[in-house]
Amino acid sequence: MAPAATLAAPRAEAPVLAPRKAQAPYPIVIVGHVDHGKSTLIGRLLHDTDSLPEGRLAELQKVSSQRGLELEWSFLLDALQIERDQGITLDTTRIWFKTAKRPYVIIDAPGHREFLRNMVTGASGADAAVLVTDAERGVSEQTRRHAYLLSLLGVTKVIVAVNKMDLMGHAEAAWQAVKDEVSAYLAKLGMQPLYVIPLSARHGDNIATRSQQMGWYQGPTLLEALDLLTPPAGRADATFRMPIQDVYRRGDRRMAVGRIETGRIRLGDKVEIAPTGQPATVASIDTGRGDGEQFARAGQSAAISFIEDAALARGQIIAPAGHMPHLALALRVRAFWLDSEPLVVGSRLTLRLTTAEHAVVVEKFERIVDVENLNDADTQELGQGGIAEIVLRSAAPIAFDPHTDLPITGRAGLARGTRIVGGAVVLGAAENAASVKGPVTAVDSSVDRAAFEARNGHRGGVLWLSGLSGAGKSTVAMGAQRRLFDDGWRVLVLDGDNLRKGLNKDLGFSPAERLENVRRVAEVAKLMAENGSVVLVSLISPTAELRALARSIIGDGFHEVWVKADVNTCAQRDPKGLYAAARDGKIAQFTGVSAPFEAPTSPDLVLDTAEFDIPTTTELLIAHIRRNLALDQADGHAVGI
Amino acid sequence: MSSLDQQHLDHLDQLEAQSIYILREARVRLKRLGLLWSLGKDSNVLIWLCRKAFLGELPFPVAHLDTGLEFPESYEFRDRYTKEWGLNLIKDECPPIEMTDPTLPPGTRVAARKSLGLAAALEKYQFDGLITGIRRDEQATRAKERIFSPRGLDGSWQAANQPPEFWDQFTIERAPGTHMRVHPLLAWTELDVWRYIQREEIPLVPLYFAKDGKRFRSLGEIGITFPVDSNASTIEEIIEELENTRTPERAGRSMDHEAEDAFERLRTTGYL
Ligand SMILES: Nc1nc2c(ncn2[C@@H]2O[C@H](COP(=O)(O)OP(=O)(O)OP(=O)(O)O)[C@@H](O)[C@H]2O)c(=O)[nH]1
Ligand SMILES: [Mg+2]
């Protein structure tokens, strides 16, 4: 419901002219390597189309001469003092102009590698790009990187501007050389330049007016090329998707608010709400156009209520019945990385897919791209400005669309904590991963946790025993289990070696497989703990990432126990002869020998088996369990039996 | 299907929908929001959009940083629409000019009182998010802004070190004791604002409409804001005028022009 206009703005007595419809400006980003002339080109374009506001040229002349420069066109956009002092663009900016055909908003982007995040910020808002390439220096590092990022950002309409032709004597051969090089690179990305225009930004050749110097060039000027661009296709005909931003209450009505990203919706439509798949029927639609709205379409911000009492929450996606997004626990994505700290296997990120947020772990790099030649790079980490294909794993199902089907619900920001450090387009669910098949609705247990606990006389929980092979994890766990069992406790042990004979027999010892190993064990332990059992997990779990994953899956009842003994002590014990085999090179990736063990930094309990004997450490573990998991007398329950 | 269902969203619909999206994100992400109401056309549009975004309500306070130097028509407007729109108004007085940086040019110092008033309001009301009506087309340093723009401890803007912002994924990280500026109108132009005011019939301070050959194109304090020559006395005429003018919107604002970096200095130290 629109707020009623309480006072009409003053109006003329004269008959009102039919208001001319405002046309949306066509957003164009100007990208390319540092100093190749992007900002100059924009300044000149604005000037040559007579679009500069009054007084602006004089002001530019003044600030240029104050710095001992001839007229510096780039100062029109490089407005910050630091940009003018250093002669480079730091941050993206926008400027408006119009031709007889339509209005444009031109987005300037910095070419310096250090400011790639600002280039992405600018380019993400564009529908087409001008890739500026210096005729003298040719295709350079950021020319390629920017081209790659354009393809990831879905900006596939690209005009190439071969700039500084004045430095090359306006020779056709210079243009041809750049044209061949750029076209070959773009072709590998599945793109094709719409036009390759030889120009000189500083002198205004082939910007708005045809160059006198380059009669050999038959194609359009830059301005003509812009007017030849076709507008992007509308999104209203694609499958309906509305990610929920928030839930508002009006009286007893609850409304999902959000923006319709694709498709359309009308009253009475049957929908499903991902990821749970709960069905609902549209009861009302409010986009602020007044009462009685029947429809809404892509691009509109809407508030929608349903006939059913649906459980609504931010991050869910409303979809047509039978056309839910895909669901998966692991995604294959193509990502760009903007942070100075590199991304490595095991890194934890927040995947921000529309309004949903998922804690994910980098499970593996399928390929890190060498942007120079688009081959596989020989590296194990993704540095700033890098691009890679990655598998990301989540503990909860992620609703998504492959980005080739529906770009908006098929892309995501990547955050470290709350800081945005990269972006990704979703290629699909990771193969062989435990994808959630079809809509999943959790079934509630018929006996609740409190009832289990009341009968057992203790709470459920997970004691996660990590430590080197031979540190004594299994011995201590088995000892504690026996004692607690004899006292009437419901207690069981999940032992890493035993699990690898069954549940996990398909897994090896690579970082990704260790991750999956931990994920499965943690999920099983969690189920048992929820059903009232005390679970002793005996698993090397050598890295902080692995233990953090377990903690994130299990939640509150998780107790991190470090069964501590140094490598030498363990190697001396060597109950299974594994250390000897590892030292002989017969076992690869053996923790403590050829794979690292990261000591826990803040475990809930340390059992030092090098210092104390087994009965003592077992006693310590039992005491910890009783202290934390027994129900006390005050609750009316027995402690132990 | 009806024709409405087929109809394309026009440019104003798109801008409106995007601004509402931004406002709703701000509401989710920030706990203690405030909206800065300059009494000018842009912040009126902002209030209008908020009432659409929040289904008829404005669920956070609206602050007018009062220098005591507004035109009488502006005060009249403020008091009337505070009531009619049901606003929760904060109208604290800004600190005096003597407290501003004496190295700034004189007109800029008047504007700097607003920065001080803003700092005081932030301290007093503990806002973690401030919604303001700045636009990229107004001024070259504003053109470099983010939609969600984190501020430093003293409210400062780190122009050379802004976070990435793409695909509507806004920065939510804030250091303790700092606030976030939220800019829902960043993508709008002056003409868009007028066309929207026309379409929605949003009320304005009458000073925007020409009287005796003069009107205010940008409304600020008495003494540092000056009217421009114009005969545009209706919205239609103003739109017509703007479609043909080459004079920049803030030509009548002295602080923009007193020195090359005057406005940037104002902004990096917390001004809008
Ligand atoms: N000779 C010649 N010089 C040019 C031309 N175009 C730009 N330049 C100069 O190249 C230098 C860099 O131009 P900018 O426009 O700042 O380059 P940019 O691509 O915007 O650089 P960043 O934004 O920092 O990446 C300036 O000194 C320009 O004057 C041209 O057509 N011919
Ligand atoms: Mg530049």
Side-chain angles (χ1 to χ4, degrees):
Chain A
M1 59 219 99
T6 43
L7 176 85
R11 280 178 173 280
E13 300 301 313
V16 178
L17 305 164
R20 230 163 310 173
K21 275 252 165 172
Q23 210 183 342
Y26 198 120
I28 313 269
V29 69
I30 316 295
V31 297
H33 196 80
V34 65
D35 264 357
H36 282 201
K38 299 176 291 297
S39 302
T40 307
L41 177 139
I42 300 171
R44 192 72 211 211
L45 181 66
L46 271 281
H47 174 261
D48 291 5
T49 52
D50 215 11
S51 316
L52 291 182
E54 212 169 85
R56 209 55 208 285
L57 189 59
E59 190 187 312
L60 290 178
Q61 232 132 21
K62 190 172 132 206
V63 295
S64 300
S65 64
Q66 274 168 4
R67 286 178 168 73
L69 299 169
E70 279 177 56
L71 178 58
E72 188 49 66
W73 292 106
S74 59
F75 284 0
L76 177 65
L77 298 137
D78 295 342
L80 302 176
Q81 293 300 306
I82 172 171
E83 293 180 313
R84 291 180 178 177
D85 293 344
Q86 297 186 6
I88 59 167
T89 303
L90 263 62
D91 212 336
T92 179
T93 187
R94 298 188 181 207
I95 196 158
W96 282 255
F97 90 107
K98 58 176 188 281
T99 64
K101 178 162 179 182
R102 65 181 160 210
Y104 291 89
V105 55
I106 304 289
I107 306 167
D108 189 24
H112 197 291
R113 180 169 179 164
E114 196 187 322
F115 305 118
L116 207 65
R117 63 179 191 281
N118 301 335
M119 177 271 173
V120 168
T121 300
S124 67
D127 285 335
V130 176
L131 181 60
V132 178
T133 311
D134 187 317
E136 191 178 44
R137 285 177 255 174
V139 173
S140 305
E141 190 191 338
Q142 303 317 314
T143 322
R144 297 191 184 91
R145 200 176 302 279
H146 285 191
Y148 206 125
L149 283 164
L150 289 177
S151 77
L152 286 185
L153 294 167
V155 185
T156 50
K157 289 180 191 140
V158 179
I159 295 168
V160 174
V162 182
N163 188 29
K164 308 197 189 179
M165 285 297 291
D166 53 306
L167 298 180
M168 304 302 287
H170 303 103
E172 184 173 6
W175 167 74
Q176 189 68 47
V178 175
K179 180 179 176 182
D180 293 347
E181 203 183 356
V182 177
S183 303
Y185 190 84
L186 289 176
K188 287 197 231 168
L189 296 171
M191 298 197 290
Q192 199 187 339
L194 296 170
Y195 310 98
V196 182
I197 308 171
L199 49 81
S200 171
R202 181 184 279 174
H203 305 285
D205 284 68
N206 282 342
I207 301 277
T209 47
R210 191 155 287 278
S211 170
Q212 300 300 309
Q213 325 265 4
M214 293 180 274
W216 47 265
Y217 173 71
Q218 305 297 315
T221 62
L222 179 63
L223 194 63
E224 288 164 349
L226 294 183
D227 275 349
L228 286 167
L229 289 168
T230 51
R235 290 186 272 115
D237 293 329
T239 311
F240 176 77
R241 295 284 184 258
M242 185 176 115
I244 299 180
Q245 245 187 312
D246 206 348
V247 180
Y248 293 169
R249 283 179 182 74
R250 286 293 171 276
D252 52 5
R253 247 192 334 160
R254 292 187 316 127
M255 285 180 261
V257 302
R259 188 176 48 206
I260 300 170
E261 300 295 3
T262 44
R264 28 168 91 82
I265 192 154
R266 55 189 301 170
L267 292 187
D269 276 358
K270 302 260 182 250
V271 300
E272 286 171 358
I273 301 170
T276 55
Q278 55 182 322
T281 314
V282 176
S284 72
I285 299 173
D286 180 355
T287 68
R289 294 184 166 204
D291 288 338
E293 289 186 81
Q294 310 257 325
F295 307 99
R297 54 165 25 245
Q300 284 187 292
S301 284
I304 294 179
S305 71
F306 301 99
I307 292 171
E308 298 80 358
D309 189 20
L312 305 172
R314 178 176 167 91
Q316 295 171 336
I317 300 176
I318 306 173
H323 298 276
M324 284 253 290
H326 298 236
L327 295 175
L329 288 170
L331 302 184
R332 285 182 57 236
V333 304
R334 189 173 295 134
F336 55 88
W337 189 246
L338 302 172
D339 201 24
S340 53
E341 191 186 322
L343 186 69
V344 294
V345 169
S347 293
R348 300 174 64 77
L349 298 170
T350 302
L351 184 82
R352 290 170 60 174
L353 195 156
T354 68
T355 58
E357 294 186 22
H358 300 277
V360 295
V361 177
V362 176
E363 181 167 295
K364 68 171 172 189
F365 288 120
E366 291 200 324
R367 146 181 151 79
I368 295 180
V369 179
D370 182 338
V371 176
E372 198 65 22
N373 49 30
L374 302 182
N375 295 335
D376 291 5
D378 182 23
T379 161
Q380 295 303 309
E381 52 175 49
L382 187 61
Q384 191 169 26
I387 287 157
E389 282 166 25
I390 305 176
V391 175
L392 297 174
R393 182 170 293 284
S394 154
I398 300 172
F400 71 95
D401 290 298
H403 89 111
T404 44
D405 295 356
L406 291 172
I408 299 181
T409 38
R411 67 192 187 193
L414 301 173
R416 257 193 177 134
T418 55
R419 206 158 47 87
I420 295 169
V421 285
V425 298
V426 183
L427 305 173
E431 273 171 39
N432 300 328
S435 304
V436 183
K437 302 284 191 281
V440 178
T441 311
V443 178
D444 290 335
S445 172
S446 62
V447 180
D448 71 13
R449 195 168 180 152
F452 278 123
E453 291 174 349
R455 174 178 295 178
N456 294 343
H458 61 78
R459 277 185 274 273
V462 179
L463 287 297
W464 194 276
L465 278 58
S466 72
L468 293 168
S469 176
K473 299 182 297 298
S474 300
T475 313
V476 175
M478 293 304 176
Q481 181 192 29
R482 184 72 233 179
R483 288 272 308 282
L484 289 166
F485 176 80
D486 290 346
D487 283 352
W489 285 55
R490 196 167 282 270
V491 52
L492 41 91
V493 175
L494 293 177
D495 190 87
D497 285 335
N498 295 352
L499 292 168
R500 281 186 180 276
K501 294 204 173 92
L503 178 66
N504 295 337
K505 70 177 167 195
D506 55 328
L507 299 176
F509 293 87
S510 69
E513 288 165 307
R514 284 185 193 265
L515 196 80
E516 176 61 11
N517 189 35
V518 165
R519 189 189 70 78
R520 290 185 196 172
V521 176
E523 291 284 2
V524 172
K526 177 190 178 191
L527 285 175
M528 293 171 160
E530 279 173 356
N531 288 308
S533 297
V534 173
V535 188
L536 304 171
V537 176
S538 157
L539 201 67
I540 298 175
S541 20
T543 66
E545 298 292 349
L546 292 172
R547 295 185 295 262
L549 174 65
R551 184 185 289 275
S552 75
I553 290 171
I554 293 162
D556 274 353
F558 181 87
H559 299 251
E560 185 173 342
V561 181
W562 180 16
V563 183
K564 182 180 169 190
D566 54 283
V567 181
N568 291 338
T569 309
C570 294
Q572 261 164 29
R573 293 177 186 160
D574 205 8
K576 301 175 220 160
L578 295 173
Y579 283 90
R583 244 179 274 118
D584 296 345
K586 291 188 195 129
I587 309 176
Q589 310 234 37
F590 189 74
T591 304
V593 178
S594 46
F597 181 82
E598 297 170 8
T601 50
S602 52
D604 300 300
L605 178 67
V606 180
L607 302 176
D608 192 335
T609 63
E611 185 89 3
F612 304 106
D613 60 9
I614 291 294
T616 308
T617 47
T618 306
E619 214 47 62
L620 285 170
L621 178 59
I622 292 169
H624 177 88
I625 293 170
R626 286 189 192 280
R627 202 163 50 241
N628 286 283
L629 298 178
L631 297 177
D632 36 332
Q633 305 280 14
D635 292 347
H637 305 296
V639 180
I641 298 273
Chain B
M1 284 203 190
S2 84
S3 61
L4 178 67
D5 190 29
Q6 293 298 327
Q7 190 184 305
H8 277 284
L9 287 194
D10 73 16
H11 179 44
L12 292 181
D13 295 331
Q14 288 169 23
L15 288 171
E16 179 190 68
Q18 176 65 3
S19 297
I20 289 173
Y21 184 85
I22 293 164
L23 287 166
R24 288 175 173 164
E25 278 303 285
R27 182 88 196 287
V28 173
R29 297 295 198 181
L30 299 158
K31 297 284 156 282
R32 288 177 313 279
L33 277 174
L35 183 148
L36 289 186
W37 189 21
S38 70
L39 315 179
K41 62 184 192 314
D42 304 290
S43 49
N44 288 356
V45 166
L46 210 46
I47 290 175
W48 196 265
L49 289 166
C50 280
R51 297 172 77 222
K52 287 203 185 200
F54 306 118
L55 310 182
E57 294 174 5
L58 216 163
F60 37 77
V62 164
H64 173 230
L65 304 172
D66 195 358
T67 51
L69 294 173
E70 305 286 1
F71 292 94
E73 292 90 336
S74 299
Y75 286 115
E76 210 173 289
F77 183 89
R78 180 186 76 182
D79 297 338
R80 171 166 180 194
Y81 286 98
T82 298
K83 259 196 233 112
E84 291 202 9
W85 286 336
L87 305 179
N88 171 7
L89 180 72
I90 292 171
K91 47 176 182 180
D92 296 356
E93 181 95 20
C94 295
I97 195 150
E98 292 72 32
M99 298 188 60
T100 63
D101 177 356
T103 69
L104 288 171
T108 310
R109 287 187 73 183
V110 177
R113 283 187 64 200
K114 290 238 176 199
S115 310
L116 295 181
L118 190 54
L122 280 165
E123 176 70 35
K124 182 164 164 195
Y125 302 101
Q126 294 287 302
F127 291 123
D128 60 0
L130 275 181
I131 301 171
T132 86
I134 66 164
R135 309 189 322 267
R136 287 203 176 99
D137 76 327
E138 285 177 287
Q139 207 279 331
T141 62
R142 283 185 180 166
K144 300 239 169 202
E145 268 286 5
R146 296 288 188 266
I147 295 169
F148 275 57
S149 177
R151 298 293 143 150
L153 259 186
D154 41 5
S156 62
W157 179 48
Q158 265 91 48
N161 191 22
Q162 300 199 79
E165 184 173 80
F166 55 91
W167 296 341
D168 292 320
Q169 296 298 344
F170 304 118
T171 294
I172 47 178
E173 180 176 65
R174 286 178 307 107
T178 65
H179 72 283
M180 184 76 74
R181 294 279 170 87
V182 181
H183 302 135
L185 299 184
L186 214 49
W188 296 53
T189 64
E190 186 184 15
L191 259 170
D192 296 330
V193 167
W194 280 106
R195 290 200 175 105
Y196 189 70
I197 288 170
Q198 178 184 41
R199 180 179 102 174
E200 302 282 313
E201 304 186 349
I202 302 172
L204 291 182
V205 177
L207 295 168
Y208 282 107
F209 301 94
K211 244 170 91 187
D212 306 325
K214 294 230 177 259
R215 74 175 193 91
F216 283 88
R217 188 163 160 201
S218 175
L219 201 56
E221 278 69 24
I222 295 173
I224 60 163
T225 322
F226 303 96
V228 295
D229 293 334
S230 168
N231 289 314
S233 61
T234 65
I235 295 190
E236 291 70 27
E237 287 167 6
I238 288 174
I239 290 171
E240 175 89 17
E241 179 188 279
L242 293 177
E243 278 174 337
N244 297 303
T245 188
R246 312 220 4 193
T247 318
E249 180 179 3
R250 295 177 62 90
R253 296 261 197 171
S254 50
M255 73 241 206
D256 291 26
H257 313 287
E258 288 177 326
E260 180 192 340
D261 63 346
F263 200 66
E264 182 179 338
R265 283 178 63 194
L266 262 182
R267 297 212 68 232
T268 50
T269 54
Y271 192 77
L272 300 192

